[in-house]
């Protein structure tokens, strides 16, 4: 069965520290991969996406993610976290067979401390 | 500016009552979607529409209904059959079904009185 797993429910990092949010997927076909960010009471904003090509993708707000097919992972990273990055982060996966219905992970809540 | 507008931002429902959540987009997108978000859960697909006058059930369609009479509008009705309606509802659209990018509205928080 197709699935998306975000192993970490909550993550706390200090401002200025590096960040990595994990995402693992289980899909039969070549996946389309996305990271979205959600601020409290808001909709979701697309940070970055991977369809094909270079496995290291750059997104907005200084985020990047790397697609590792051998590990079925698409982890989100940022070298230096800012207090404004505190939010809920969702990994989402689709494919050519079901691309109309992105499968979302349960989310990781990021807390940034001074 | 183009975008997706959901209204109201907060909505309360009495037991046994039907309520309708509005979603309007001026992006000229063909595809529209409704997702439900519960605390500690990912987004789950309720209904989606590929084009006007067409819509399909998602993973959790029971207790919900939709219509797509106009390209820009995709209202969601939460019926009395939905026994656990309290959730945050997000509407989204994309240029076409399967497009790489979903644009999301700001959501409606529905609570039961």
């Amino acid at each position: 069965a197709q699935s998306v797993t975000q192993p970490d429910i909550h993550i706390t990092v200090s401002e200025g520290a590096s960040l990595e949010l994990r995402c693992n997927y289980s899909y039969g076909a070549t996946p389309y991969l996305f990271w979205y960010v959600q601020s409290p009471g808001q909709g979701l904003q697309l940070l970055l996406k991977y369809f094909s090509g270079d496995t290291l993708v750059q997104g907005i707000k200084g985020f990047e993610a790397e697609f590792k097919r051998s590990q079925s992972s698409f982890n989100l990273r940022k070298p230096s976290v800012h207090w404004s990055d505190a939010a809920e982060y969702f990994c989402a996966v689709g494919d050519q067979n079901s691309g109309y219905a992105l499968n979302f992970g349960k989310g990781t809540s990021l807390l940034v401390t001074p | 500016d183009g975008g997706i507008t959901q209204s109201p931002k907060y909505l309360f429902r009495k037991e046994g009552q039907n309520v309708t959540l509005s979603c309007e987009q001026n992006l000229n997108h063909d595809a529209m979607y409704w997702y439900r978000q519960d605390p500690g859960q990912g987004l789950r697909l309720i209904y989606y529409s590929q084009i006007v006058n067409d819509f399909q059930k998602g993973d959790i369609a029971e207790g919900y209904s939709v219509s797509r009479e106009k390209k820009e509008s995709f209202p969601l009705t939460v019926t009395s059959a939905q026994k656990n309606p309290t959730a945050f509802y997000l509407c989204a659209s994309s240029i076409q079904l399967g497009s790489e990018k979903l644009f999301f509205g700001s959501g409606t928080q529905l609570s039961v009185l």
Side-chain angles (χ1 to χ4, degrees):
Chain A
Q2 298 173 333
S3 67
V4 183
T5 303
Q6 292 180 246
D8 305 305
I9 298 174
H10 300 284
I11 282 188
T12 300
V13 299
S14 300
E15 190 169 15
S18 63
L19 171 70
E20 182 170 29
L21 302 182
R22 295 183 291 165
C23 175
N24 295 94
Y25 64 89
S26 174
Y27 263 68
T30 300
Y32 302 156
L33 299 157
F34 308 81
W35 274 99
Y36 284 86
V37 61
Q38 183 182 34
S39 299
Q42 298 296 316
L44 277 69
Q45 181 183 22
L46 180 66
L47 285 175
L48 48 78
K49 62 186 184 290
Y50 171 80
F51 269 45
S52 63
D54 192 348
T55 56
L56 182 63
V57 294
Q58 302 296 322
I60 63 172
K61 303 184 179 186
F63 286 93
E64 68 176 26
E66 186 172 11
F67 171 54
K68 293 185 177 180
R69 185 185 299 275
S70 62
Q71 299 178 18
S72 297
S73 69
F74 188 58
N75 295 347
L76 181 71
R77 301 194 294 251
K78 186 170 184 177
S80 178
V81 171
H82 187 263
W83 64 266
S84 61
D85 293 325
E88 190 87 10
Y89 292 81
F90 291 93
C91 178
V93 185
D95 63 20
Q96 289 182 332
N97 297 325
S98 60
Y100 52 78
L102 292 186
N103 194 355
F104 284 83
K106 293 184 177 182
T108 297
S109 179
L110 174 65
L111 177 64
V112 180
T113 59
Chain B
D1 291 335
I4 300 179
T5 302
Q6 288 187 243
S7 62
K9 192 170 180 66
Y10 300 96
L11 186 60
F12 297 90
R13 192 193 91 165
K14 295 180 181 179
E15 294 287 344
Q17 183 183 36
N18 293 354
V19 291
T20 298
L21 283 61
S22 170
C23 179
E24 303 278 333
Q25 54 98 358
N26 61 2
L27 300 167
N28 201 32
H29 286 174
D30 282 328
M32 297 187 74
Y33 316 78
W34 274 105
Y35 288 89
R36 170 181 171 139
Q37 184 180 23
D38 295 279
Q41 301 285 329
L43 278 69
R44 293 182 289 169
L45 183 66
I46 304 173
Y47 269 97
Y48 64 96
S49 168
Q50 182 175 2
I51 200 167
V52 174
N53 293 322
D54 173 79
F55 49 84
Q56 302 294 330
K57 293 181 179 180
D59 298 326
I60 55 166
E62 185 175 353
Y64 300 97
S65 66
V66 293
S67 63
R68 187 86 187 276
E69 297 177 0
K70 298 184 297 182
K71 185 176 185 177
E72 59 270 23
S73 179
F74 191 42
L76 173 74
T77 297
V78 184
T79 74
S80 57
Q82 171 51 246
K83 298 307 179 186
N84 185 24
T86 297
F88 190 59
Y89 292 86
L90 284 164
C91 178
S93 71
S94 61
I95 293 175
Q96 61 186 22
L97 204 65
S99 174
E100 62 188 64
K101 187 172 182 179
L102 293 180
F103 291 78
F104 283 86
S106 58
T108 294
Q109 175 65 50
L110 175 63
S111 303
V112 176
L113 293 176

